Amino acid sequence: MTRVLATSVFVALLVALPWWFAHSAQSGPWLPPRASSFAGEVDGLFDAILVALATAFVLVMVLLVVALWRGAARVERARTTHGDLRLELAWTLVPAAVLAWIAVAQGPTWRAMKGDAALMARAPLARVEAAQFDWRFRHPGPDGLLDTSDDLLETHELVVPAGEPIVLATRTRDVIHSFYVPDFRLKQDLVPGRDGRIWFEAVGLGRHDLVCAELCGWGHYKMAGSIRVVQRDEYEAHLARLAARWNANGTEERP
Ligand SMILES: [Cu+2]
């Protein structure tokens, strides 16, 4: 009876979890919509690793059920065994091969996201400046240079044009933060003393959550911002409005 009950539990898990894995990978109850040019590649790697894990899970469940029935069928003294070279080689080499495959398979995506030196050398659209506990964005003004008197600053929300590679400089003004836009599948630590670069190409229009993915202090939870993707002409208009507001020195009319 116990055996039947235990087998039912294993079989239920065996059916339910791979179904849920497959279902999740497609409809995405755990993954947000894809909104960057490389999001599909990142999800492809995620799904591939999920399939490898699901395969291992099914294998373990089947072995458990087999052991349960075989063990229960015989009544004999348990044997103590020591060492099995073939088994040990198998459980060392198979996971090693899987890990090596993951390391090779993720290479092109990693290079596309982090390794394009020519792209990263472009003038940044803005600099992300993280601080406890907000996001600030510094645009180079008309002179095209950061850290000059005509810089334009905005907080919480960065507006970017759609359909073109956006390079951002990154900096933290205090502790470690992590720039994370789930819809873009983009996450980058910002480390004190180390300015960096990130890039993405937003697909489609709309607003995407920007969160801090590094526990950075008591107010970490409220370190939320957004990236708003607009058409190029709307972006130019936004920058012009930002410049007008910035240069008005507080004398402009507030809506
Ligand atoms: Cu944080």
Side-chain angles (χ1 to χ4, degrees), residues 131-133 135 175-178 211-217 219-221 223:
Q132 290 170 315
F133 296 96
W135 297 102
V175 299
I176 301 179
H177 299 277
S178 187
V211 294
C212 178
E214 180 65 50
L215 184 56
C216 57
H220 168 65
Y221 71 95
M223 203 168 154

